[in-house]
Amino acid sequence: MADAIKIEGLTKSFKNFTLGPIDLALPTGCVMGLIGENGAGKSTLISLLLGLKRPDAGKALVLGEEAGNDAAAFRQKVGVVLDIPGFPSAMRASEIGKLLAPGFPGWDGERFRALCAGFKLPEKTGFGSYSRGMKMKLSIAAALAHDPELLILDEPTGGLDPVARDEILDIFYNFIQSPDRSILISSHILSDLEKICDYIAFLHEGRLLLQGEKDLLKETYGLLRGSRAEIAALPDEAVKGVRRTGTGDEALVLRDCCPEAEPVGLEELMVFMLRYAKGEN
């Protein structure tokens, strides 16, 4: 089965920032988490996949077609949630549903209304008066209402409390149960990605610092705690980052070299890899 997203040599340059070249593939039927610090290039990459920006070099295929295809049949297959939703401020949820329906051949008005009701979105309040959390919920309802094959999500759980985030993740988990559906999700809430992702792509300063299967990455790297002397005695090639503490050191290590190391979470992996990449260890 073809990859849901296939990126080769993708590059985009701005005055003070360059993304790429990026080579990346999201297998069909899987969830990929896009992580990295603010300004790493996550939103730029998503904009390129959606055709909101044009690359300087390279190519990206989304569901086998050139990224940014605006044909109605293609839009039907891709659901999108952006970090800053762009619906008209004065419109209520029901009016936004009617606005979107003509653009998607498979739009399901009943499903959209059911999702809005499940999210407890106010029926008589304009979108501009929504909290950030409510805006994200409406965007998710709109993304799911036309039964897409691929979801591209930029911070979809941002602004939501833990209970609401868990409800949203359940919806994404149910969506992905079909083997022909896939998700690319960018998020700063790495605990959410721990729960749902199969693959991780770690962007840093416009480049892919790390990518691969989530479980394999967590098996590859581990955390080791010890005295400063004990950590300093480890082989250089085994240590990928060091954090100094008042009671000793913590090191991100390769578990093949240090089998006694504890499993590492995505947040710890990101922090340590950034320190290593920036030469701060």
Side-chain angles (χ1 to χ4, degrees):
M1 188 177 291
D3 293 322
I5 296 175
K6 181 70 172 179
I7 299 171
E8 296 179 343
L10 197 68
T11 304
K12 179 67 177 179
S13 293
F14 302 91
K15 183 177 180 180
N16 298 312
F17 176 77
T18 296
L19 176 72
I22 300 291
D23 294 286
L24 188 65
L26 168 58
T28 298
C30 296
V31 182
M32 176 174 282
L34 191 60
I35 68 174
E37 74 274 35
N38 289 332
K42 303 185 298 297
S43 293
T44 297
L45 179 57
I46 287 174
S47 293
L48 289 166
L49 292 174
L50 297 177
L52 302 177
K53 294 182 172 67
R54 302 297 299 174
D56 298 326
K59 65 177 182 178
L61 297 179
V62 178
L63 300 177
E65 302 187 40
E66 184 177 358
N69 185 342
D70 195 40
F74 180 75
R75 289 199 307 272
Q76 168 71 27
K77 297 188 290 184
V78 182
V80 179
V81 175
L82 296 178
D83 182 35
I84 303 176
F87 298 124
S89 296
M91 281 192 169
R92 295 174 292 181
S94 59
E95 295 169 329
I96 290 172
K98 293 176 182 178
L99 176 69
L100 294 174
F104 301 96
W107 181 267
D108 186 339
E110 286 300 322
R111 176 165 171 73
F112 178 72
R113 286 188 286 274
L115 286 165
C116 289
F119 289 151
K120 297 181 173 57
L121 297 177
E123 297 181 3
K124 298 182 179 180
T125 302
F127 181 76
S129 298
Y130 280 11
S131 67
R132 173 169 170 78
M134 288 191 293
K135 288 178 178 178
M136 298 310 293
K137 288 179 180 179
L138 180 58
S139 296
I140 291 167
L144 293 171
H146 52 91
D147 193 27
E149 296 175 24
L150 170 67
L151 289 177
I152 297 179
L153 310 168
D154 192 1
E155 299 291 342
T157 56
L160 302 180
D161 61 66
V163 173
R165 291 202 335 261
D166 197 60
E167 292 171 353
I168 296 298
L169 291 178
D170 281 345
I171 290 173
F172 295 156
Y173 182 77
N174 290 332
F175 172 86
I176 205 67
Q177 294 312 297
S178 175
D180 60 349
R181 290 175 172 173
S182 314
I183 299 176
L184 176 68
I185 174 171
S186 167
S187 180
H188 285 102
I189 306 174
L190 301 191
S191 60
D192 289 350
L193 302 187
E194 292 263 14
K195 296 176 182 177
I196 195 172
C197 288
D198 304 297
Y199 291 83
I200 295 296
F202 184 1
L203 276 173
H204 172 56
E205 296 181 350
R207 299 297 182 96
L208 272 174
L209 184 60
L210 201 65
Q211 64 171 306
E213 293 184 39
K214 178 192 68 179
D215 291 342
L216 182 58
L217 289 175
K218 293 174 71 174
E219 290 175 6
T220 300
Y221 298 94
L223 280 182
L224 192 62
R225 296 174 176 85
S227 68
R228 185 158 300 180
E230 289 171 332
I231 298 300
L234 294 172
D236 287 344
E237 64 273 15
V239 180
K240 299 302 178 183
V242 175
R243 175 162 53 199
R244 311 288 186 194
T245 73
T247 57
D249 287 356
E250 295 177 328
L252 179 73
V253 298
L254 295 176
R255 297 186 76 183
D256 282 349
C257 301
C258 306
E260 69 275 25
E262 300 174 3
V264 64
L266 289 181
E267 186 167 344
E268 293 166 319
L269 180 62
M270 177 176 165
V271 169
F272 275 94
M273 291 299 289
L274 283 179
R275 288 186 172 183
Y276 174 75
K278 293 178 179 178
E280 295 179 5
N281 60 315

